[in-house]
Amino acid sequence: MNSLGIGLIGTGFMGKCHALAYGSVKAVFGDVPDIRLEVLCDVPADKADAFADQFGFARATATWQDLIADPKVDIVCITTPNKVHKEMALAALEAGKHVHLEKPMALTLEDARQMLAVSERTAAKTIVGYNYLHNPAISHARKLIAEGAIGRIVHFRGMVDEDYQADPELAWTWRATRADAGLGALGDLGCHLVSLATALVGPVESLIAETRTVHATRPLDDGSAERRPVENEDIASALVTFENGVHGVISTSRSAWGRKSYIAFEVHGTEGMITFDQERMNELRLYQNRGPFGEQGFKTLLSGPAHPPYGQFVPAAGHQLGFNDLKVIEAHEFLQAISQHRPAVPSFREALHFEAVIHAIAEAASGQKRVFVK
Amino acid sequence: MNSLGIGLIGTGFMGKCHALAYGSVKAVFGDVPDIRLEVLCDVPADKADAFADQFGFARATATWQDLIADPKVDIVCITTPNKVHKEMALAALEAGKHVHLEKPMALTLEDARQMLAVSERTAAKTIVGYNYLHNPAISHARKLIAEGAIGRIVHFRGMVDEDYQADPELAWTWRATRADAGLGALGDLGCHLVSLATALVGPVESLIAETRTVHATRPLDDGSAERRPVENEDIASALVTFENGVHGVISTSRSAWGRKSYIAFEVHGTEGMITFDQERMNELRLYQNRGPFGEQGFKTLLSGPAHPPYGQFVPAAGHQLGFNDLKVIEAHEFLQAISQHRPAVPSFREALHFEAVIHAIAEAASGQKRVFVK
Amino acid sequence: MNSLGIGLIGTGFMGKCHALAYGSVKAVFGDVPDIRLEVLCDVPADKADAFADQFGFARATATWQDLIADPKVDIVCITTPNKVHKEMALAALEAGKHVHLEKPMALTLEDARQMLAVSERTAAKTIVGYNYLHNPAISHARKLIAEGAIGRIVHFRGMVDEDYQADPELAWTWRATRADAGLGALGDLGCHLVSLATALVGPVESLIAETRTVHATRPLDDGSAERRPVENEDIASALVTFENGVHGVISTSRSAWGRKSYIAFEVHGTEGMITFDQERMNELRLYQNRGPFGEQGFKTLLSGPAHPPYGQFVPAAGHQLGFNDLKVIEAHEFLQAISQHRPAVPSFREALHFEAVIHAIAEAASGQKRVFVK
Amino acid sequence: MNSLGIGLIGTGFMGKCHALAYGSVKAVFGDVPDIRLEVLCDVPADKADAFADQFGFARATATWQDLIADPKVDIVCITTPNKVHKEMALAALEAGKHVHLEKPMALTLEDARQMLAVSERTAAKTIVGYNYLHNPAISHARKLIAEGAIGRIVHFRGMVDEDYQADPELAWTWRATRADAGLGALGDLGCHLVSLATALVGPVESLIAETRTVHATRPLDDGSAERRPVENEDIASALVTFENGVHGVISTSRSAWGRKSYIAFEVHGTEGMITFDQERMNELRLYQNRGPFGEQGFKTLLSGPAHPPYGQFVPAAGHQLGFNDLKVIEAHEFLQAISQHRPAVPSFREALHFEAVIHAIAEAASGQKRVFVK
């Protein structure tokens, strides 16, 4: 395989992020095929044209089916609103294309399961955009845990918050609907936390949960006095039992003033603790019960070349990776998986578990019962 | 009332803290009666003698009943192990003495209820040692919330951790037993967090919960190979519903390596957020959704004279109060309540609610059901 | 020596701090003689009376000479404005009393030298109120350095700032005058930093420096439009050479908005670094070049019983000492020195060096030349 | 101008950074001409070939003169060792090419002056790689200062440290020589701090200074026991007077264990303070003396779309820019300057001042005298 062609659907937040990632992944890592930015899709057509020019794609289209059908496209990146993920991903898979899909996979777990089933009967590779997993600080946390640096894991706590739905007078949008957005904070944010929890502790077995809609209605953006109901959760929390028996606490809010990209967790072990906060994404904090008491304390590990693949970006420690760099690492993982004929991480299979957990949280909260994640 | 005599039972961690508090409360605040340190009780007698000399008490005894019977003792401070709290407190109340009791009130909720009942048919005043409530930073948080600085409260999260039971090979003690210690992390730590949650958000209505015993057995301290079971929880977490409908998350661990006095919380409001961590007890963090976006951020309020009664200790901001200073403020609250013939905060009545919550957590976890706090 | 009588001159910020310290030092430490709070002096007499009652002193006076002459007074604590330090200290020494003097010793170096000379021909002990030296975190830093934990010291940087003179429209007071206050920020704050620098690195040999008066004039507080000149420095900085050749940077400001008790330093060694900030006085940060690169980082050591004498205050780590606790440790050091017939640290001798450095800074700045500290 | 061709000399730390920047600048910003990555130069030729393939350059060469002579190259990026900056930059300018030069401009101030002179008689644009200037947090600090958010500036303090020369047994290299490296920590790090100080406060008028070589000799890397002298400074500090009279403190070390990319400063104003640390490059701290005392404190402003051009990278606040993103902004500034026929910031003219300051520091230290920056 000498080169791979990219077809990107969507030009928003994540669309641009994908464009930047595939545009620089070879320069950063070297060990990947040439990348051809072939087709960019958005509507209307002139928007697609303008962004194709900006992002450096060879062609533009307003018809995503054409992008998928393009023989020069090997990888289809889907960064569109959640409700069309399924249709696009299935079409791409059926066309034999590798699929780089933004999270969540779909609005419902049933849809996600169907997508997994299709992906597993094709030779195509899949990856889902759980980008925080690819932070070198997180990889280092996983390495430390695997090496026993904090002993046996006994407890996990995680929180993921933003404030994009904190303002009570923010206008009502499709995000507030079950039909178009599916879950609320769980789908936007909670699944990211689950991806990290799973990577650090293991799969989730069962849970009990609560959810809340902080702002019951929101005003229409049309100058009228009308308000429409918010149908999904602003806040969700769960007490989870991992398959290995570890007890965990998970909480998310999209209405948390001041939190911009707060993905914070603590992993408690029998010999130490690891903590992290995405708002300081280049820092991992490690406590180990070693040495004299007076010299024990939380150590801040500033990401550097000792935490691969940081060194591919900057050869000097502490210089800071950024959010967009995580997508470059994700793209690299996908390209490596394709070259090596192995599943990428996280493929639809792993991602399905993350999303099964958030749907279980919603179900446990509405049914006021323990739900087992299947 | 020209002066008040103190009888103190116990000379350990909290005993010394009480001795220092009553020994300095008048010097710090001025507006209280003279304090006479009358009787100190501990066993054996020579230990009581030695500490009476050190702490400046006029007399010592190894018989707590004598202390309570002493006519010069007006206030009985009880800082003994939890299992004798009830007997001592009831005796002191029956003798007409004011009672300054360390938390938790008792091993069981029934005992605590009986203690409240007795206290309410005497003229004596009671206060329970929920000292973190008296931190000027906490008082300021309450003031900010009352003033609407962060709008309507919509969510609470709190954690309280220490690592005194983190070492798997720590010897087995009475702390591991239901009979002598009652609850585990909930009784030692969790109730403190509940006291803060209640102060900031309001009483708790109901909850669901999980608990874990991290270290199932512990070795005996006698050189044998025997290990005994740990009967109470190392970790407990709950999803609580406050009476005002607010959803909260509460979690505690006594096996959390690296956490020394971690009592951290977040109060989410519709217009801002307040966060705090007792390990930096002189700092309160406040986010408000005011002014231009580019100038919004979490502000660190360093405790100072603008946060009463900080100024009674130091007239300059940022100079730092310490743990022992909180007990001085607590003693002052008790003395003021006695002088003003009003209930102290928190009296047995408020404390009973805090402890009802932790017992409800234990019950919800063991019964795998929602428990309403009565 | 069964007991020691205290005479305290002054009831302000530091006066209260001394009263609290001597009122609790035996209860905290145990291993000291009984302390008698004998005489409190302030003017007018009724103020002295009121504070004697509040602080628990047996007698009050408005005449400091009477306090010194009182045969029951063994230790004279001087917490009055700087300009009367010399006269009071000399009188107390001549009367054979031990002297606990607040910093700075005197307005001029010549006066301080005279005070040292007198102290050294009496049997009396002296200590000067460089309280930050007594922080267990600082003592631990000294121990770490002595043990070679960060190798050979190669660089020191320190800053000490407050904002009590930051407001341009703050009224003119005696603090602005050479005659009554002597130095400005250097005398109030800078000398504290020098005490720490000296303790950590060693004595200072020579320096070059700059000073600035930020607010050239200040308004009178009498409703007039008159403004008077500020005669001493708001900001001072120096590049110092320690006697061991180490290069250091020292800077102080009393006009630094937001800084409340900022005494921050870094000690750079050939094998690590130690940093500290008094606004988080229970935290010491330590970096050591040991172990794998990926696990190196600044470790936060939270003060605890492993850092004596923290455990005398609280037996559990991380619970936080406060500003007033430092004075208790200082009083304990003084009482131990008296009992053990050894010099206290810092006596007039050490303190003289601290103050020689700040006067050298002022001289170097005004003369635009290198000044050697004598 | 429809497109601009890039010739990049060097493929190391900064070479890769430039390649990534020019490879993504149009995708990030949109408003620039098409960028053609034309020629990459390094030695030996096969290294140049390999990196040209990785970075996406059309051609490779081992002869930098050929790169400059290439008619398709419009912008020459020079990221080679310092000692060849001058020759390459002059050649590029004489060839009429725009020059994007890494800092420092040259080994000596004389050379840098000559480079400026040449640049000012050509129509070519220049920019020097003072990348930290382009951080949106720094731009916001400048905006705040310009708006008077912290009043009149009265003091500046800055430190810039790394630990790449902290290990005493690190092998001797050309970095230790005056002939090949010129200055030490001042040239590598100090000039970055000066660039920020100047941007925030203004040009520097004069200074006094000290320098130290921490490790006098270093071992050869050839297995022999031979050690060679380190000829330039490991540490340098200066007390500077800005042209507007403000007093500043500047200090740098390349031997500061634990510091990875520490560029920290404080700007003190009459109404507030701003602080920053590059190791948390997405956070700006702001204190303002506004509102009630009890609600004043340092506010942490997390970079976001309100701080342009952050939003070009990520449309959501707090998601974090990284080190490499700063070079993209720098490249954008250069492209805009070229398009708009205006000088870029910082051009050779501004950069010359930054470097005049570091040379003045070296001169003041060696001559033990005040040096005026010319």
Side-chain angles (χ1 to χ4, degrees), chain C residues 122-192:
Chain C
T122 79
K125 300 300 176 195
T126 58
I127 194 167
V128 186
Y130 287 97
N131 54 323
Y132 300 111
L133 278 175
H134 302 288
N135 186 337
I138 299 297
S139 300
H140 193 64
R142 297 174 71 169
K143 177 170 172 285
L144 287 169
I145 290 170
E147 291 170 356
I150 59 168
R152 174 173 60 92
I153 303 307
V154 298
H155 188 38
F156 176 87
R157 288 186 195 140
M159 297 177 278
V160 52
D161 294 337
E162 295 195 9
D163 61 5
Y164 61 94
Q165 297 281 317
D167 183 350
E169 294 310 304
L170 197 76
W172 185 94
T173 67
W174 62 270
R175 287 196 173 276
T177 67
R178 293 254 165 221
D180 286 357
L183 298 172
L186 285 165
D188 283 356
L189 308 176
C191 54
H192 275 302

Side-chain angles (χ1 to χ4, degrees), chain A residues 18-188:
Chain A
H18 278 244
L20 290 170
Y22 282 101
S24 65
V25 60
K26 179 163 182 184
V28 170
F29 281 94
D31 63 351
V32 295
D34 283 343
I35 298 299
R36 290 173 278 103
L37 302 182
E38 291 288 350
V39 189
L40 183 67
C41 174
D42 207 336
V43 287
D46 58 352
K47 183 177 178 189
D49 287 338
F51 277 109
D53 175 60
Q54 176 170 342
F55 294 167
F57 278 77
R59 295 177 297 289
T61 177
T63 308
W64 61 265
Q65 292 88 345
D66 290 351
L67 179 149
I68 287 174
D70 192 307
K72 289 193 168 171
V73 167
D74 302 296
I75 296 174
V76 175
C77 295
I78 302 170
T79 69
T80 44
N82 306 346
K83 69 173 169 174
V84 293
H85 283 186
K86 178 189 173 188
E87 183 182 11
M88 289 176 176
L90 290 181
L93 288 169
E94 298 290 1
K97 306 299 169 89
H98 304 297
V99 172
H100 189 161
L101 177 64
E102 269 310 306
K103 44 65 55 184
M105 290 174 70
L107 294 193
T108 70
L109 196 52
E110 292 63 38
D111 284 351
R113 282 203 186 101
Q114 182 184 346
M115 292 157 75
L116 170 61
V118 171
S119 79
E120 298 209 331
R121 62 171 166 74
T122 78
K125 300 299 174 193
T126 59
I127 194 166
V128 186
Y130 287 97
N131 53 323
Y132 300 112
L133 278 174
H134 301 289
N135 186 336
I138 298 298
S139 301
H140 193 64
R142 297 174 71 169
K143 176 171 173 282
L144 288 169
I145 289 170
E147 292 170 355
I150 61 168
R152 175 172 59 92
I153 303 307
V154 298
H155 188 36
F156 175 87
R157 288 186 195 140
M159 298 177 278
V160 52
D161 295 337
E162 296 195 10
D163 61 6
Y164 61 93
Q165 296 282 316
D167 183 349
E169 293 310 305
L170 197 76
W172 185 93
T173 68
W174 62 270
R175 288 196 171 278
T177 66
R178 292 254 165 222
D180 287 356
L183 298 173
L186 285 166
D188 283 355

